[in-house]
Amino acid sequence: MTTAIYPGSFDPFHNGHLDIVLRASRIFEQVVVAVAENPGKSPWFDLKTRTALCEASVGHLPGVRVTGSRGLTVAFARAQGAQVILRGLRAVLDFDYEVQMAMMNRHLDREMETFFLLTSNRYSYLSSSLIKQLVDVDAPVEDLVPEPVHRHLMALSRHRT
Ligand code: PNS
């Protein structure tokens, strides 16, 4: 059984991430969405919230599992029985960073393969950072994120006003 781990900050999970999970679930028997603690990034949402929002967005899909992760991705991937690290690629902008990360992961674990899926055109401009910028100025994000994430973002906006 081929298991792919899909690691990321998911701060928050958006429709571009959803697109990758849906398409990967048609390729791999199991997809594990690994929500990274990633302390270097000072996320908007804590690990528990980010994991819960991913779970609410994709946890019901067959062959998809969501979990929080800490530490090295390759070690976590092995512990989950994964053979593949899955990453979405939007544009040339992502390329350098993603290749560097894939090579570092291969240096850390020779047998762990990185698998890139090109983001569908209609989501190629999406990023969690841009979504947070929109939320910050109360601009609509309904079409950009799964419904559970949207509900959470709206509750957050109401709380601030
Ligand atoms: O969504 P992001 O922030 O681009 O995801 C980056 C992530 C979490 C996949 C990456 O930072 C990561 O794997 N962090 C865990 C620590 C690690 O394994 N570092 C070595 C990989 S270069």
Side-chain angles (χ1 to χ4, degrees):
M1 170 150 93
T2 311
T3 299
I5 192 163
Y6 181 34
S9 303
F10 307 119
D11 185 44
F13 191 84
H14 57 62
N15 285 347
H17 299 131
L18 175 63
D19 171 58
I20 296 292
V21 174
L22 285 171
R23 286 164 52 216
S25 71
R26 296 197 285 266
I27 299 169
F28 300 104
E29 276 123 325
Q30 254 205 87
V31 176
V32 181
V33 178
V35 185
E37 186 174 36
N38 221 352
K41 268 201 164 175
S42 9
W44 256 30
F45 302 107
D46 62 21
L47 182 61
K48 199 169 152 215
T49 306
R50 285 181 282 132
T51 307
L53 290 177
C54 288
E55 177 66 42
S57 304
V58 293
H60 60 284
L61 297 172
V64 175
R65 197 150 53 77
V66 177
T67 176
S69 86
R70 290 189 169 85
L72 265 188
T73 293
V74 287
F76 190 77
R78 262 199 186 267
Q80 295 288 319
Q83 302 83 4
V84 168
I85 294 173
L86 168 72
R87 294 284 288 173
L89 262 187
R90 282 168 304 192
V92 277
L93 212 65
D94 285 337
F95 194 75
D96 284 352
Y97 169 63
E98 291 297 335
V99 168
Q100 191 181 17
M101 200 154 62
M103 285 180 160
M104 179 56 82
N105 283 331
R106 182 181 292 165
H107 164 79
L108 294 166
D109 185 336
R110 291 247 142 243
E111 285 169 14
M112 192 63 67
E113 292 292 352
T114 299
F115 188 100
F116 292 112
L117 268 180
L118 277 185
T119 306
S120 299
N121 269 348
R122 63 185 186 282
Y123 301 123
S124 58
Y125 59 93
L126 268 190
S127 74
S128 296
S129 316
L130 281 184
I131 287 165
K132 285 182 280 191
Q133 279 184 35
L134 294 180
V135 171
D136 243 345
V137 294
D138 292 321
V141 294
E142 192 167 5
D143 297 345
L144 310 178
V145 293
E147 207 268 328
V149 176
H150 185 246
R151 239 182 301 128
H152 190 79
L153 292 173
M154 290 308 94
L156 191 79
S157 295
R158 275 198 300 280
H159 192 70
R160 283 184 317 174
T161 52

